[in-house]
Amino acid sequence: MALGGLKMEVMEEPNQEALQLGREFGNRGQCNPTYFTVGNLLKKLIQLRDVDGIPTEKIISNYAFVTAGGCGPCRMGMYATEYRKALRDSGFADFRVMLLTRSGDVQDVLMEGLKLSNKHLLMGFLTIMIGDVFTTMSLRKRPYEAFKGHVDEEMKKARIEVEAGIREGKNWKGLWNARKIIRGIKTKKAGPKPVVHIMGEFWAKTTDGEGNYHLFRFIEEEGGVVSNETIIDWLLHQIWRARWSESQKHESKFMSKAEWKLFAVEQVIRGVFGFFCKFYGVKIPLSDHDALAEDVKPFFDLHVDGGEDHMEVAHHLAIARDGKADMIVSVKPFTCLSSSGVSDGVQGKVSELYPDVEFIAVETNGDGAANFYSRIQMALQKVVHSVQ
Ligand code: SF4
């Protein structure tokens, strides 16, 4: 795909091979998103060198990798170092990696070279929105698809249309063609199915592959409908945190200029995302992050930053109170500092208040899928029987 003079390739979903490479070249004691994502980059570079026969110097001069990273109290702050170490040890020492941080900065981790313009960043941002819309629509429609594989097939065609639109500089044509395909998806009636909300650590809850043992599809096969969280909602939470941090700097009831600016950015994001949802005919609610923060105060100190902050506990409270799901699965990598280490310590209190909504916290480490599945299966069976 080409955009604004840049040639782009989308990385494959990280798999076991990526995990093993990440473990081999990474430091000990990291959480598994680090191993999966760093290993996935190594896997790609090794394939370019050993399978496609491109010399290492050419790979280093012609390719660069853009990904999410950042500072922060959890291990996300160490991603830059992890990439650097693994690339050095695997023979790609000077390979360029650019991290887009959660505070919105662009960190050019390994030397200069690739320049991303505002247009590139805006397009990246819009594609995240489209990705959220398409992912959510797949999850909503797949449990009711007219025949097996139909939704995946049609959504793939829709993605190809969007890609073609970007490649040809005809973005709207691509979006419009995708809309026609999506509107043609056929569904069938089915009996009542339990709604299972997936929350937890950012990477584990949004990835759709071996990184979370194909959690979404597993729940569908077991008879549930997945309710997901979007990347845009997480970005809105980051904006809320920046605004809240500003509000702590003064005692006035009125918002400062910086808070107003962040508030305006939030409204624009909500407006554009709402437009795309309408365009594709789907309702995807975005959280009211002020209300979530207010609700969670008795349970969680808002000053605790990193990972999902208070969002997991706040979402559990809101979803259980408003009856938006029959079951909640909080998925996180083994030893996740913010999710296992902090949020799960509070979740028991919320479960006591809302015992009718089944809540389980499950960890992934890349191995041991059987235990992971059996815990979810046991919880889900109770819920399946109660809705039928
Ligand atoms: S949120 Fe947890 S799993 Fe994710 S980078 Fe931080 S410590 Fe690792």
Side-chain angles (χ1 to χ4, degrees):
M1 189 188 325
L3 169 68
L6 290 178
K7 286 185 193 158
M8 285 188 282
E9 261 182 62
V10 179
M11 297 288 285
E12 276 177 17
E13 194 66 42
N15 60 8
Q16 280 293 325
E17 190 188 341
L19 174 67
Q20 296 316 328
L21 281 168
R23 281 180 177 159
E24 186 181 340
F25 290 102
N27 280 307
R28 296 285 155 263
Q30 298 300 310
C31 42
N32 69 40
T34 331
Y35 293 137
F36 270 111
T37 52
V38 173
N40 207 32
L41 174 61
L42 298 185
K43 188 180 122 197
K44 175 74 183 171
L45 297 182
I46 291 168
Q47 184 215 317
L48 289 173
R49 186 190 61 196
D50 298 350
V51 180
D52 300 347
I54 304 175
T56 306
E57 319 77 70
K58 283 252 183 256
I59 297 174
I60 289 171
S61 62
N62 293 352
Y63 288 79
F65 179 60
V66 180
T67 188
C71 58
C74 78
R75 297 189 191 96
M76 200 160 187
M78 301 171 203
Y79 274 38
T81 322
E82 282 300 305
Y83 277 111
R84 198 174 284 150
K85 179 198 176 304
L87 287 166
R88 185 197 63 204
D89 293 355
S90 59
F92 297 96
D94 293 333
F95 188 80
R96 287 164 294 177
V97 175
M98 187 175 276
L99 297 185
L100 303 176
T101 72
R102 73 190 189 109
S103 55
D105 307 330
V106 177
Q107 275 180 8
D108 202 348
V109 176
L110 294 177
M111 80 230 81
E112 76 290 346
L114 173 65
K115 293 283 170 256
L116 288 184
S117 64
N118 286 341
K119 183 182 171 192
H120 294 129
L121 292 173
L122 178 67
M123 286 297 285
F125 203 58
L126 294 178
T127 48
I128 290 175
M129 288 193 184
I130 300 291
D132 271 342
V133 171
F134 282 17
T135 301
T136 307
M137 291 189 88
S138 297
L139 293 170
R140 299 247 180 104
K141 287 178 184 287
R142 212 159 47 207
Y144 304 99
E145 63 188 353
F147 51 92
K148 196 156 174 55
H150 176 53
V151 170
D152 283 346
E153 244 172 59
E154 297 306 297
M155 293 308 293
K156 190 174 169 194
K157 285 185 205 160
R159 285 193 173 91
I160 290 171
E161 287 296 337
V162 174
E163 269 186 39
I166 296 174
R167 198 170 45 239
E168 293 160 15
K170 294 177 180 165
N171 301 336
W172 279 109
K173 187 176 167 228
L175 293 172
W176 184 258
N177 289 346
R179 183 178 186 261
K180 279 196 268 181
I181 294 170
I182 291 171
R183 295 232 156 171
I185 291 178
K186 294 180 183 58
T187 51
K188 65 175 182 213
K189 285 211 168 100
K193 289 172 180 270
V195 175
V196 181
H197 185 81
I198 308 292
M199 60 152 68
E201 187 269 344
F202 176 72
W203 190 78
K205 77 178 178 184
T206 52
T207 197
D208 183 13
E210 294 181 17
N212 65 6
Y213 308 116
H214 299 278
L215 176 59
F216 301 147
R217 284 165 200 274
F218 179 72
I219 285 174
E220 288 167 10
E221 276 161 24
E222 294 295 314
V225 177
V226 170
S227 147
N228 63 318
E229 293 185 359
T230 56
I231 295 175
I232 288 298
D233 204 48
W234 187 83
L235 287 171
L236 288 177
H237 173 72
Q238 301 309 322
I239 293 173
W240 173 88
R241 174 150 291 285
R243 186 158 56 78
W244 182 81
S245 300
E246 287 296 327
S247 75
Q248 299 302 293
K249 293 179 187 164
H250 62 81
E251 292 190 348
S252 163
K253 282 191 300 194
F254 301 105
M255 286 201 282
S256 65
K257 206 169 155 192
E259 287 167 73
W260 273 113
K261 269 192 191 163
L262 289 161
F263 180 73
V265 171
E266 184 185 328
Q267 300 317 308
V268 171
I269 293 174
R270 285 181 186 276
V272 176
F273 188 70
F275 168 79
F276 281 128
C277 290
K278 263 204 183 132
F279 186 72
Y280 285 107
V282 60
K283 280 190 187 154
I284 307 176
L286 294 172
S287 307
D288 176 342
H289 287 280
D290 284 322
L292 288 184
E294 212 41 51
D295 289 348
V296 85
K297 267 186 196 164
F299 301 88
F300 206 103
D301 186 339
L302 297 183
H303 291 89
V304 176
D305 187 9
E308 295 284 303
D309 304 352
H310 58 266
M311 266 217 294
E312 289 185 39
V313 177
H315 276 148
H316 184 181
L317 264 171
I319 289 165
R321 181 195 57 210
D322 301 342
K324 296 278 190 228
D326 303 292
M327 174 171 155
I328 297 174
V329 177
S330 176
V331 58
K332 69 279 324 277
F334 181 58
T335 72
C336 172
L337 298 173
S338 46
S339 192
S340 305
V342 181
S343 298
D344 283 354
V346 185
Q347 297 289 27
K349 187 76 200 155
V350 183
S351 288
E352 265 177 27
L353 291 176
Y354 301 100
D356 291 344
V357 176
E358 189 75 19
F359 175 89
I360 58 164
V362 281
E363 289 188 325
T364 65
N365 67 358
D367 317 311
N371 288 342
F372 179 90
Y373 288 145
S374 85
R375 288 203 55 218
I376 295 173
Q377 228 163 9
M378 281 193 288
L380 194 54
Q381 282 319 305
K382 280 199 254 171
V383 182
V384 169
H385 291 310
S386 68
V387 298
Q388 281 172 351

